[in-house]
Amino acid sequence: LVLDITVSPDYSEVESDPYIYQLSPYETRMNDYRPFFSEGSQYFLTPQFTMFYSRRISDPRVATKVTGKVNDYSFGVLFADNQTSEADEVFSVIRLKRDIFQNSSIGIYYTSLQQGEERNQNLSLDFSIYHKNIYTVEGQVVYSYNKGMSRNDNGMYYFTFKRAPDAGLSCGLNYIRVGNNVDVKTGYVYQKNTQSTDVFTGYSWRFKKK
């Protein structure tokens, strides 16, 4: 396990963002090159929905982070006090993942953001199962809770099944739904009130077995 602590960090030497023409009504996701947030960021990843978008912490007064792996368990824990022009924001991020079978895992994710009287809480369950390097089954369910907002239609759902052999029949199913009352203020959700289902199939073969 690795413990990182930063107090009033100076990121003046960090690579600046490229200029992007904003032609879309949706927010553009940017990479985070600040060492405190980029190192160990793999411990905060999920199959589909981004629960923690570190660029939300724009000016941390103090932040601490624990990342690493012990036996079959991976940990990603972060707490930060972010300074804003309105009121300080307190971020809490907890990610726990356990390895199962071979190259498969299940995980739980909790994030919260408190700013004055406002509070946002998000809970996620996810799994990734791989079998024989051919079959992939992934899923994630997220519920977002905000003070004063309706708890109806506040979920995000993701499921995918894929069969992708080196040669032969391939097929897959992909389903994504984001509710209208979803507001993951600690993460990145660029579009709400949307649903999509994709189905695909194909066949591949090799000449001379090469």
Side-chain angles (χ1 to χ4, degrees):
L1 296 177
V2 177
L3 171 65
D4 293 297
I5 300 175
T6 183
V7 179
S8 297
D10 177 16
Y11 295 119
S12 59
E13 296 183 357
V14 175
E15 179 181 347
S16 61
D17 295 325
Y19 183 80
I20 296 178
Y21 290 96
Q22 185 66 23
L23 302 178
S24 167
Y26 306 114
E27 179 186 12
T28 299
R29 180 173 178 174
M30 309 294 290
N31 294 325
D32 198 336
Y33 300 105
R34 297 174 294 177
F36 179 84
F37 297 104
S38 61
E39 295 174 359
S41 60
Q42 69 272 18
Y43 292 102
F44 296 95
L45 298 178
T46 54
Q48 177 65 29
F49 303 114
T50 303
M51 298 292 293
F52 174 55
Y53 180 40
S54 59
R55 294 295 294 263
R56 303 286 184 222
I57 306 177
S58 57
D59 188 12
R61 174 182 286 118
V62 59
T64 181
K65 178 180 65 175
V66 177
T67 55
K69 188 171 185 179
V70 178
N71 298 325
D72 293 333
Y73 292 90
S74 300
F75 299 89
V77 180
L78 182 144
F79 297 97
D81 181 10
N82 186 50
Q83 304 178 72
T84 67
S85 57
E86 299 177 359
D88 283 4
E89 298 176 332
V90 179
F91 284 79
S92 301
V93 182
I94 301 174
R95 170 61 164 163
L96 174 62
K97 187 170 67 171
R98 187 185 190 281
D99 296 337
I100 59 175
F101 309 130
Q102 292 184 347
N103 300 323
S104 302
S105 64
I106 56 175
I108 186 171
Y109 215 136
Y110 172 79
T111 64
S112 73
L113 170 60
Q114 185 168 1
Q115 183 181 32
E117 298 296 327
E118 301 296 326
R119 179 152 189 171
N120 168 246
Q121 295 177 295
N122 311 282
L123 180 64
S124 169
L125 300 174
D126 63 87
F127 63 88
S128 299
I129 300 175
Y130 307 97
H131 181 60
K132 295 183 178 179
N133 294 325
I134 296 177
Y135 297 95
T136 301
V137 181
E138 287 187 339
Q140 185 178 3
V141 178
V142 180
Y143 288 103
S144 176
Y145 304 96
N146 291 273
K147 186 176 180 180
M149 289 185 61
S150 173
R151 295 193 176 186
N152 295 324
D153 201 20
N154 64 331
M156 298 191 295
Y157 310 93
Y158 164 73
F159 176 80
T160 185
F161 166 80
K162 182 169 62 175
R163 183 185 191 273
D166 182 62
L169 178 65
S170 62
C171 59
L173 167 67
N174 189 62
Y175 173 79
I176 297 176
R177 173 174 172 78
V178 181
N180 187 46
N181 293 322
V182 170
D183 189 10
V184 184
K185 296 182 179 180
T186 61
Y188 177 82
V189 180
Y190 75 97
Q191 190 176 4
K192 299 189 297 183
N193 194 24
T194 181
Q195 177 174 292
S196 66
T197 303
D198 303 308
V199 180
F200 69 88
T201 185
Y203 190 88
S204 59
W205 63 92
R206 289 183 173 273
F207 293 103
K208 297 182 180 180
K209 297 182 180 181
K210 293 184 180 179

